[in-house]
């Protein structure tokens, strides 16, 4: 299990500085933020790839904002795959539509499944895999929705980007992890100290209300061999210190 940092945690920094901070903090790799940290030109992505390599960092994931199941999908898919390929990423992260599981219409579900299947096939042609964000505002916001999408797409190169949602109890987060770890190919971690707290109240991972070491153990037992990535950090410390503390905690908890 490798440890990564999402460069969105350093969204106010140039990508070169974000990479240097990740390397200095001891991370194995970075997920490149798909907004201000990538440019429009493939050459820019290749520069990021080379800088990361010089720092000893992998780029396991390109964190795109591509949304299968929406009208924009067809317009954006080719460019987003080209960025992922130019970065040398193994995975392209995407979002599953724009309706939540309990509210999604049959037509929306069909659009999400059709587009995600198309994406997985196109990605495979480029040697890439797909990781679908488990997130509010999408059909994968629940355990059932996440499982249904991955199983309906039914492609070896399409898995779940699992992460804990702060509306859930600590016990439910662990139950979800056990259920979905076998379907996951990427993990995002961030934390709050109390259930229901907002992202404004992020804490260090060591202060999470849920059991982070138990999550790592669950994924380890499931045979997960991807990256566990710190997505966001607390504002209570200087960002470099928070990033390093979270990496140290994950490293300690994983040994």
């Amino acid at each position: 299990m490798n440890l990564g940092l999402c460069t969105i945690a350093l969204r106010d920094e140039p990508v070169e500085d974000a990479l240097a901070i990740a390397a200095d903090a001891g991370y194995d790799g970075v997920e490149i933020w798909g907004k201000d940290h990538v440019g429009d030109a493939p050459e820019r992505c290749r520069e990021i790839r080379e800088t990361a390599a010089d720092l000893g960092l992998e780029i396991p994931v390109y964190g795109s904002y591509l949304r299968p199941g929406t009208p924009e999908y067809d317009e954006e898919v080719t460019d987003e795959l080209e960025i992922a390929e130019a970065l040398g990423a193994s995975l392209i992260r995407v979002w599953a539509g724009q309706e939540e599981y309990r509210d999604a219409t049959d037509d929306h579900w069909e659009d999400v499944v059709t587009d995600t299947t198309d994406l997985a096939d196109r990605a495979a042609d480029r040697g890439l895999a797909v990781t679908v964000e488990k997130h509010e505002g999408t059909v994968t916001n629940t355990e059932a929705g996440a499982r249904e999408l991955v199983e309906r797409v039914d492609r070896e190169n399409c898995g779940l980007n699992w992460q804990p949602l702060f509306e859930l109890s600590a016990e439910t987060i662990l139950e979800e992890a056990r259920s979905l770890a076998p379907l996951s190919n990427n993990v995002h971690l961030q934390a709050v100290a109390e259930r229901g707290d907002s992202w404004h109240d992020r804490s260090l991972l060591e202060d999470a209300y849920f059991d982070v070491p138990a999550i790592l153990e669950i994924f380890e037992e499931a045979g997960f061999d991807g990256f566990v990535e710190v997505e966001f950090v607390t504002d209570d410390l200087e960002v470099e210190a928070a990033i390093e503390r979270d990496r140290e905690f994950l490293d300690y908890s994983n040994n």
Side-chain angles (χ1 to χ4, degrees):
M1 188 180 296
N2 297 304
L3 301 182
L5 177 70
C6 297
T7 67
I8 194 175
L10 293 155
R11 62 194 303 163
D12 295 327
E13 302 289 339
V15 65
E16 294 83 1
D17 292 350
L19 296 175
I21 290 169
D24 288 345
Y27 286 87
D28 302 306
V30 287
E31 175 179 318
I32 300 296
W33 180 37
K35 290 193 176 177
D36 292 353
H37 280 172
V38 295
D40 295 330
E43 292 77 12
R44 175 63 174 149
C45 295
R46 284 191 282 271
E47 290 172 1
I48 294 170
R49 177 179 183 173
E50 291 170 1
T51 300
D54 289 343
L55 291 167
L57 294 169
E58 295 183 47
I59 300 180
V61 187
Y62 166 51
S64 85
Y65 289 83
L66 186 65
R67 284 185 181 260
T70 66
E72 295 77 23
Y73 170 77
D74 287 335
E75 302 169 9
E76 298 172 356
V77 58
T78 299
D79 287 345
E80 294 297 279
L81 285 170
E82 287 179 353
I83 290 171
E85 190 172 16
L87 287 170
S90 300
L91 300 172
I92 179 171
R93 187 205 65 186
V94 301
W95 300 59
Q98 55 190 4
E99 297 176 9
E100 293 194 337
Y101 177 67
R102 292 186 177 87
D103 302 320
T105 64
D106 290 344
D107 286 345
H108 189 61
W109 256 110
E110 288 301 322
D111 289 343
V112 173
V113 171
T114 297
D115 285 351
T116 307
T117 305
D118 172 73
L119 175 63
D121 291 342
R122 292 194 194 198
D125 290 340
R126 296 172 181 261
L128 298 168
V130 176
T131 187
V132 182
E133 182 97 350
K134 185 180 185 298
H135 204 280
E136 298 94 338
T138 73
V139 299
T140 57
N141 68 305
T142 66
E143 177 188 349
R147 176 173 294 280
E148 181 173 343
L149 179 61
V150 173
E151 291 181 347
R152 286 178 66 178
V153 171
D154 193 24
R155 294 292 191 272
E156 289 186 4
N157 70 325
C158 182
L160 184 69
N161 186 142
W162 183 86
Q163 61 183 348
L165 301 185
F166 302 152
E167 66 186 30
L168 302 177
S169 70
E171 294 78 10
T172 301
I173 286 173
L174 293 183
E175 290 169 3
E176 257 200 8
R178 290 188 189 95
S179 172
L180 297 176
L183 301 179
S184 300
N185 56 8
N186 201 56
V187 174
H188 280 177
L189 286 178
Q190 54 177 302
V192 294
E194 300 289 339
R195 177 184 178 183
D197 281 352
S198 79
W199 61 271
H200 296 286
D201 304 308
R202 288 192 188 95
S203 69
L204 289 167
L205 291 176
E206 63 199 65
D207 296 325
Y209 77 91
F210 50 88
D211 192 338
V212 174
I215 289 171
L216 298 181
E217 184 176 355
I218 287 167
F219 276 85
E220 186 76 27
E221 290 176 350
F224 178 80
D225 62 357
F227 270 74
V228 173
E229 299 173 338
V230 174
E231 186 177 20
F232 291 102
V233 296
T234 181
D235 292 328
D236 293 341
L237 297 173
E238 291 293 331
V239 64
E240 292 89 349
I243 284 169
E244 188 166 358
R245 282 276 292 274
D246 279 352
R247 198 275 305 158
E248 289 173 347
F249 179 70
L250 290 176
D251 197 38
Y252 173 80
S253 300
N254 194 40
N255 291 305

